[in-house]
């Protein structure tokens, strides 16, 4: 099983894994990149339930409080605070001791080489794999500095050791707009997702009277230099993902649109998990009906 990079959209990987298990599939190996490394690592460590409970109970303010902002030009978030908080929920362990084979990738930005983690500290590997350029500061590990593995290999199918005698399932959460679906309002148990509190809704209504949408639309829309760089990187990554997927004999593909959530919208965890579940149901129905 391969889990792509994608920031907060990568939380959809949780729903994908849960649905696969509900349908009786056994995950024999996981390769992940960035957010895929985080979710895949939690699952391989047997701590998916604890991780899900923690991430789904974070609201906007909680997420903001876990962002240790800095004025460094190397990234505006240090990235240590959130992992220290998660370590209180799920303790660090050695990758080679995990219940199933797990690997993830990062990039040594000085040499430009892809580095694959198959042993050592799980959190060190996850932190290195998820160091999104310009957002998180590079991760230091063994005298090296790493950035997000998605720079070179966002869908790390190449890390899977044996995909000839097993189903190769790939989850890609940086898909085109055509894969966008309306966000669900309830989870699998029928519980409503968190909504904006009434005081915040009232505030937004009041503010809209001072800053009406019509006035905003009169101004020509344009991208800032940072947004332009980000958009350009997204386009390059989207095309690269497609080329990687075409290179390997993928048995089942779960694709989720980049529009579903922003990179740092981790407060939408429950929603993204449910989207991952819905998308996997559709993909499994196609796979199983096609094999009959």
């Amino acid at each position: 099983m391969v889990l792509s990079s994608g920031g907060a959209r990568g939380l959809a990987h949780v729903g994908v894994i849960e649905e696969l298990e509900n349908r009786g599939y056994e995950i024999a190996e996981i390769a992940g990149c960035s957010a895929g490394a985080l979710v895949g690592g939690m699952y391989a460590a047997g701590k998916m339930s604890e991780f899900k409970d923690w991430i789904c109970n974070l609201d906007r303010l909680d997420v903001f409080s876990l962002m240790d902002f800095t004025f460094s030009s190397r990234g505006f978030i240090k990235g240590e605070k959130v992992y220290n908080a998660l370590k209180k929920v799920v303790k660090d362990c050695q990758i080679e001791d995990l219940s199933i084979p797990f690997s993830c990738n990062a990039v040594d930005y000085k040499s430009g080489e892809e580095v694959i983690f198959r042993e050592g500290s799980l959190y060190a590997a996850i932190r290195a794999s998820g160091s999104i350029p310009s957002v998180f500061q590079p991760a230091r590990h063994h005298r090296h500095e790493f950035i997000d593995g998605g720079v070179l290999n966002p869908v790390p199918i190449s890390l899977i050791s044996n995909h000839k005698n097993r189903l190769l399932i790939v989850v890609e959460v940086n898909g085109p707009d055509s894969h966008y679906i309306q966000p669900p309002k309830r989870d699998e148990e029928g519980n409503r997702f968190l909504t904006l509190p009434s005081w915040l809704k009232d505030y937004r209504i009041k503010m809209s009277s001072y800053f009406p949408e019509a006035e905003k639309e009169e101004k020509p829309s344009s991208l800032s230099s940072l947004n332009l760089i980000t958009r350009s990187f997204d386009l390059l990554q989207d095309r690269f993902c497609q080329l990687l997927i075409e290179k390997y004999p993928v048995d089942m593909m779960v694709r989720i649109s980049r529009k579903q959530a922003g990179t740092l919208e981790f407060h939408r965890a429950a929603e993204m998990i449910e989207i991952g579940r819905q998308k996997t149901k559709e993909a499994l129905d196609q796979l199983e009906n096609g094999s009959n």
Side-chain angles (χ1 to χ4, degrees):
M1 183 175 192
V2 181
L3 308 179
S4 81
S5 61
R9 292 183 301 280
L11 297 174
H13 295 316
V14 177
V16 175
I17 290 173
E18 288 183 342
E19 185 58 28
L20 285 170
E21 289 194 316
N22 288 341
R23 298 278 278 262
Y25 290 88
E26 180 181 347
I27 299 172
E29 181 181 358
I30 290 183
C33 175
S34 195
L38 172 61
V39 174
M42 293 297 103
Y43 178 78
K47 299 295 182 179
M48 183 68 89
S49 177
E50 292 87 342
F51 171 72
K52 180 183 176 183
D53 288 344
W54 177 74
I55 199 75
C56 286
N57 281 289
L58 298 179
D59 59 23
R60 289 175 186 263
L61 292 178
D62 293 326
V63 172
F64 185 80
S65 69
L66 291 174
M67 301 298 175
D68 40 4
F69 296 103
T70 176
F71 290 105
S72 172
S73 60
R74 290 155 54 85
F76 62 85
I77 299 174
K78 293 179 181 178
E80 303 304 325
K81 195 172 182 181
V82 62
Y83 287 107
N84 288 336
L86 182 53
K87 285 178 184 178
K88 295 178 181 178
V89 180
V90 178
K91 293 183 179 180
D92 195 8
C93 59
Q94 299 299 298
I95 294 175
E96 57 268 31
D97 295 333
L98 298 178
S99 57
I100 62 173
F102 168 78
S103 59
C104 66
N105 62 346
V107 176
D108 183 327
Y109 79 87
K110 291 183 179 179
S111 67
E113 296 179 349
E114 180 182 23
V115 177
I116 300 171
F117 293 86
R118 288 195 172 96
E119 59 183 22
S121 163
L122 176 63
Y123 277 106
I126 291 172
R127 172 68 178 87
S129 186
S131 299
I132 305 172
S134 78
V135 178
F136 290 97
Q137 291 187 347
R140 294 183 178 181
H141 184 58
H142 292 169
R143 298 182 180 179
H144 294 274
E145 289 190 309
F146 298 103
I147 57 176
D148 197 305
V151 171
L152 291 182
N153 193 2
V155 188
I157 304 174
S158 57
L159 273 59
I160 293 292
S161 61
N162 177 16
H163 55 78
K164 293 183 179 180
N165 301 317
R166 302 188 293 229
L167 285 176
L168 178 58
I169 298 175
V170 175
V171 188
E172 202 263 299
V173 298
N174 300 304
D177 294 356
S178 59
H179 288 273
Y180 178 83
I181 63 173
Q182 286 298 319
K185 295 181 179 180
R186 299 176 184 272
D187 62 19
E188 191 179 30
E189 285 75 35
N191 301 313
R192 292 184 65 86
F193 295 120
L194 293 175
T195 57
L196 292 175
S198 58
W199 66 266
L200 184 53
K201 291 180 180 179
D202 292 340
Y203 175 77
R204 292 179 65 177
I205 293 172
K206 290 177 181 177
M207 290 303 293
S208 65
S209 64
Y210 293 101
F211 303 98
E213 294 296 323
E215 291 183 7
K216 292 181 180 179
E217 293 174 2
E218 291 176 2
K219 299 178 180 180
S221 60
S222 61
L223 295 175
S224 67
S225 58
L226 178 60
N227 287 336
L228 185 58
I229 292 172
T230 302
R231 176 58 176 162
S232 300
F233 178 75
D234 289 345
L235 291 171
L236 287 169
Q237 191 177 60
D238 292 348
R239 180 57 179 156
F240 192 24
C241 287
Q242 188 61 40
L243 291 172
L244 287 171
I245 292 165
E246 291 173 356
K247 183 180 177 181
Y248 294 91
V250 177
D251 295 294
M252 189 183 96
M253 185 78 191
V254 179
R255 299 199 77 182
I256 293 169
S257 172
R258 186 184 294 278
K259 283 180 60 179
Q260 292 291 167
T263 301
L264 298 178
E265 289 188 304
F266 289 95
H267 60 280
R268 298 174 62 186
E271 176 188 320
M272 289 308 306
I273 291 171
E274 189 58 30
I275 288 172
R277 191 190 319 280
Q278 288 186 19
K279 286 282 191 173
T280 306
K281 286 180 179 179
E282 295 172 5
L284 283 173
D285 288 343
Q286 278 192 329
L287 176 69
E288 294 170 357
N289 292 334
S291 61
N292 290 338

